[in-house]
Amino acid sequence: MEKLIKTIEEKLYSYVPNIDTLEKKVFDSMKYSLSAGGKRIRPILTAYFCELNGGTLEQSLPFGCALEMIHTYSLVHDDLPCMDNDDLRRGKPSNHIVFGEDTALLAGDALQSLAFEVLSDSKTRDLVGDTACIKAVNCLAKRIGAVGMVGGQVIDLEYENKSADVTILRTMDDKKTGALISAACELGCIAANADDKAINDAVRYAKALGLAFQVVDDILDITADEKELGKHTGSDKENNKSTYVSLYGVEECKKLVSQLTEEAIGCVYGESESAQKLRELALSLAQRNK
Amino acid sequence: MEKLIKTIEEKLYSYVPNIDTLEKKVFDSMKYSLSAGGKRIRPILTAYFCELNGGTLEQSLPFGCALEMIHTYSLVHDDLPCMDNDDLRRGKPSNHIVFGEDTALLAGDALQSLAFEVLSDSKTRDLVGDTACIKAVNCLAKRIGAVGMVGGQVIDLEYENKSADVTILRTMDDKKTGALISAACELGCIAANADDKAINDAVRYAKALGLAFQVVDDILDITADEKELGKHTGSDKENNKSTYVSLYGVEECKKLVSQLTEEAIGCVYGESESAQKLRELALSLAQRNK
């Protein structure tokens, strides 16, 4: 896994060159957040699903990097004062604290564009073909747009100061976190030119994994060590936010995570190396402490 | 021209349906700015360049609408308090005044995603083919990213409170306004499967037109009627901003506009209806008063 993360990060950084032109500041801002660490779960999922469907790691990399760019843009915009107003991200000052709100806003915008640039550049087209590239663009654009990731953020804002029931919470998380995790799994399949059945299985895996991921996040906001987690804890409670923990309690949530993890594992067939890794990944995400 | 604008706007609005789900607010916010008027110059350019190269109006429409979505997203983000802090846009309250900063930020983000969704959806693929679609995605993504439109905005921020010389001003405008106008012309060619020579001519036309457009904007900021223009005038001077007018004076700027307009006209060959319209468009933009 560590070797895979290193390969992903090398490729990721290669898309943001060191420049010394008038736009230097926005490149620095983009690089700052892209290289701020993180679990790189999305490109890892893309790589595993690509291999599961007979593709290569190399074919998955541009798609995986595009997903990480989108994930990063969403964090940069999320931390802005007009959104969550978070000064700290992954244990480091947030992008707008270092570069200013205006540059952080623009760096987020440019990261979104860069993701689509990478999905469509000539090297990516040569690797996976034009049809796979255009399918990937469409899948990603839908998953992150107003009915996907951004839609989830809008629902989140709407329910900031009023209590949400489980149906609303699930709809919100399905979009806010689930949509991009789904895109990661789908883009792995698309890079390998997999059929619809494989894509459907990947989406089911992603939905269970994504929800488990969010429930674990809610648990960690209550139970984790702030230093280890790299961000403030207890913020959900402070903000009177409805979470799985506030609705079910920590113990029930742990059961839900186990159940969802089993569900995810059940969507991956065969004994190939990538199948095993996908099952292990679901387990390790359920047991994470940061 | 009016009929064409009506056709473009109908298509544009069809991409943002009326919904009544939890994400309603972001859709309302997106629609508010998409339907706030404007000259629709970018989709018009796309239509004319598509027809100039043997394509149909229908083939140009999805690409043109994508450009208008990007243009709209850039205006919504530009007006935010952390950027230009403009309460007024096209004579109406800015998006964030009506919907709040958080929703305006997200609506801008979702408009960018929607542009790429439209460039890659199955109807667009059937109309122009996968290769044209993926080329359009790549062209647009590059033109609006950190070396394009966003790069221009970053340079603009950098020189907000210091004086810029003509070279810097041209680089900035070439990116800030020119890049998207260039993409509009290029995407028209791509929709028609035109060759590289045609695309090069379109870029040269766009560069001259885009710069002329910006110089006219600077002139109008000094000379126009606020009510007619639909936004505050004199802001460049108030903000001590270097503009073509502050560097050259109004009279020299008017000469420069004529010269650039001639240059643009010289890039369009033939006597076809679309060629004539492109020449007329360059002339009318030079003579506009809003």
Side-chain angles (χ1 to χ4, degrees), chain A residues 22-23 25-27 30 73 77 80 82-83 101-103 105-106 109-110 112-113 116-117 119-121 125 130-131 133-135 137-138 141-142 144-147 150-151 153-155 157-159 168 171 175, chain B residues 22-23 25-27 30 73 77 80 82-83 101-103 105-106 109-110 112-113 116-117 119-121 125 130-131 133-135 137-138 141-142 144-147 150-151 153-155 157-159 168 171 175:
Chain A
L22 292 165
E23 313 92 315
K25 196 175 175 189
V26 76
F27 278 90
M30 291 160 78
Y73 119 66
H77 281 189
L80 285 172
C82 71
M83 295 284 291
E101 285 178 54
D102 43 14
T103 302
L105 172 69
L106 291 171
D109 289 342
Q112 179 173 180
S113 309
F116 289 106
E117 189 180 333
L119 290 186
S120 60
D121 75 17
R125 291 170 61 193
D130 286 356
T131 299
C133 285
I134 203 70
K135 280 185 181 173
V137 167
N138 197 249
K142 264 186 199 153
I144 68 175
V147 295
V150 163
Q153 289 168 305
V154 170
I155 301 172
L157 291 174
E158 201 79 5
Y159 283 88
I168 288 166
T171 306
K175 290 169 184 284
Chain B
L22 292 163
E23 312 92 317
K25 197 176 174 185
V26 76
F27 278 91
M30 290 159 79
Y73 119 67
H77 281 189
L80 284 171
C82 70
M83 297 283 292
E101 283 178 54
D102 43 15
T103 302
L105 172 68
L106 291 171
D109 289 342
Q112 179 173 180
S113 308
F116 289 106
E117 190 180 331
L119 290 186
S120 61
D121 74 16
R125 290 169 61 193
D130 286 356
T131 298
C133 284
I134 203 70
K135 279 186 184 172
V137 168
N138 197 250
K142 262 185 199 154
I144 67 175
V147 295
V150 163
Q153 288 168 306
V154 170
I155 301 172
L157 291 174
E158 202 78 6
Y159 283 88
I168 288 165
T171 306
K175 292 170 183 283

Side-chain angles (χ1 to χ4, degrees), chain B residues 32 36-38 79 86-95 98 225-232 290:
Chain B
Y32 176 82
D79 287 339
D86 262 323
D87 292 357
L88 209 60
R89 167 70 64 183
R90 292 169 180 160
K92 291 169 71 178
S94 301
N95 195 299
V98 180
D225 179 74
E226 197 158 296
K227 224 171 180 177
E228 193 166 6
L229 199 63
K231 61 180 179 187
H232 301 305
K290 60 178 182 177

Side-chain angles (χ1 to χ4, degrees), chain A residues 241-257:
Chain A
K241 232 174 135 168
S242 298
T243 69
Y244 295 99
V245 173
S246 76
L247 291 170
Y248 290 134
V250 171
E251 284 317 305
E252 274 304 305
C253 280
K254 285 184 178 168
K255 274 186 214 160
L256 183 59
V257 170

Side-chain angles (χ1 to χ4, degrees), chain A:
Chain A
M1 180 93 100
E2 261 171 52
K3 203 184 141 205
L4 176 56
I5 290 177
K6 201 167 167 268
T7 306
I8 289 166
E9 290 184 338
E10 270 172 18
K11 186 80 183 172
L12 184 61
Y13 305 153
S14 78
Y15 288 117
V16 190
N18 283 311
I19 57 151
D20 202 19
T21 53
L22 292 165
E23 313 92 315
K24 184 178 175 358
K25 196 175 175 189
V26 76
F27 278 90
D28 289 346
S29 168
M30 291 160 78
K31 258 187 293 189
Y32 176 81
S33 289
L34 278 179
S35 59
K39 293 175 278 291
R40 314 295 188 195
I41 292 166
R42 292 157 194 82
I44 290 171
L45 284 168
T46 309
Y48 289 168
F49 270 101
C50 185
E51 288 176 347
L52 186 72
N53 288 287
T56 64
L57 170 62
E58 198 196 355
Q59 287 177 314
S60 83
L61 284 176
F63 288 7
C65 289
L67 284 152
E68 200 63 13
M69 290 165 189
I70 295 293
H71 177 53
T72 305
Y73 119 66
S74 77
L75 300 180
V76 172
H77 281 189
D78 247 6
D79 288 340
L80 285 172
C82 71
M83 295 284 291
D84 289 353
N85 196 16
D86 263 323
D87 292 357
L88 208 60
R89 167 69 65 183
R90 292 168 180 161
K92 291 169 74 178
S94 300
N95 196 298
H96 65 275
I97 299 294
V98 181
F99 295 94
E101 285 178 54
D102 43 14
T103 302
L105 172 69
L106 291 171
D109 289 342
L111 280 168
Q112 179 173 180
S113 309
L114 186 60
F116 289 106
E117 189 180 333
V118 167
L119 290 186
S120 60
D121 75 17
S122 56
K123 280 186 193 162
T124 311
R125 291 170 61 193
D126 287 345
L127 263 177
V128 300
D130 286 356
T131 299
C133 285
I134 203 70
K135 280 185 181 173
V137 167
N138 197 249
C139 173
L140 185 64
K142 264 186 199 153
R143 293 291 186 198
I144 68 175
V147 295
M149 184 178 77
V150 163
Q153 289 168 305
V154 170
I155 301 172
D156 198 10
L157 291 174
E158 201 79 5
Y159 283 88
E160 224 164 18
N161 294 308
K162 48 184 172 181
S163 61
D165 62 21
V166 169
T167 314
I168 288 166
L169 210 59
R170 278 190 87 139
T171 306
M172 182 184 88
D173 290 330
D174 200 36
K175 290 169 184 284
K176 207 180 129 184
T177 344
L180 198 59
I181 290 180
S182 184
C185 302
E186 291 170 89
L187 260 58
C189 298
I190 293 171
N193 274 302
D195 60 17
D196 287 349
K197 158 89 175 69
I199 294 178
N200 283 339
D201 289 339
V203 170
R204 286 195 303 125
Y205 173 94
K207 281 201 181 282
L209 191 85
L211 184 54
F213 193 85
Q214 187 58 51
V215 179
V216 172
D217 254 7
D218 288 354
I219 297 173
L220 290 175
D221 190 66
I222 295 286
T223 62
D225 181 74
E226 197 157 297
K227 223 172 180 175
E228 193 166 1
L229 198 64
K231 61 179 178 187
H232 301 305
T233 57
S235 60
D236 293 338
K237 208 169 180 178
E238 280 164 34
N239 298 328
N240 264 324
K241 232 174 135 168
S242 298
T243 69
Y244 295 99
V245 173
S246 76
L247 291 170
Y248 290 134
V250 171
E251 284 317 305
E252 274 304 305
C253 280
K254 285 184 178 168
K255 274 186 214 160
L256 183 59
V257 170
S258 301
Q259 193 187 311
L260 288 164
T261 304
E262 281 307 307
E263 213 175 299
I265 288 172
C267 299
V268 182
Y269 309 105
E271 291 308 318
S272 65
E273 209 186 321
S274 45
Q276 288 173 28
K277 283 181 193 161
L278 281 167
R279 289 190 282 259
E280 281 165 25
L281 184 69
L283 280 172
S284 73
L285 287 180
Q287 289 153 2
R288 73 197 161 96
N289 54 10
K290 61 175 181 179

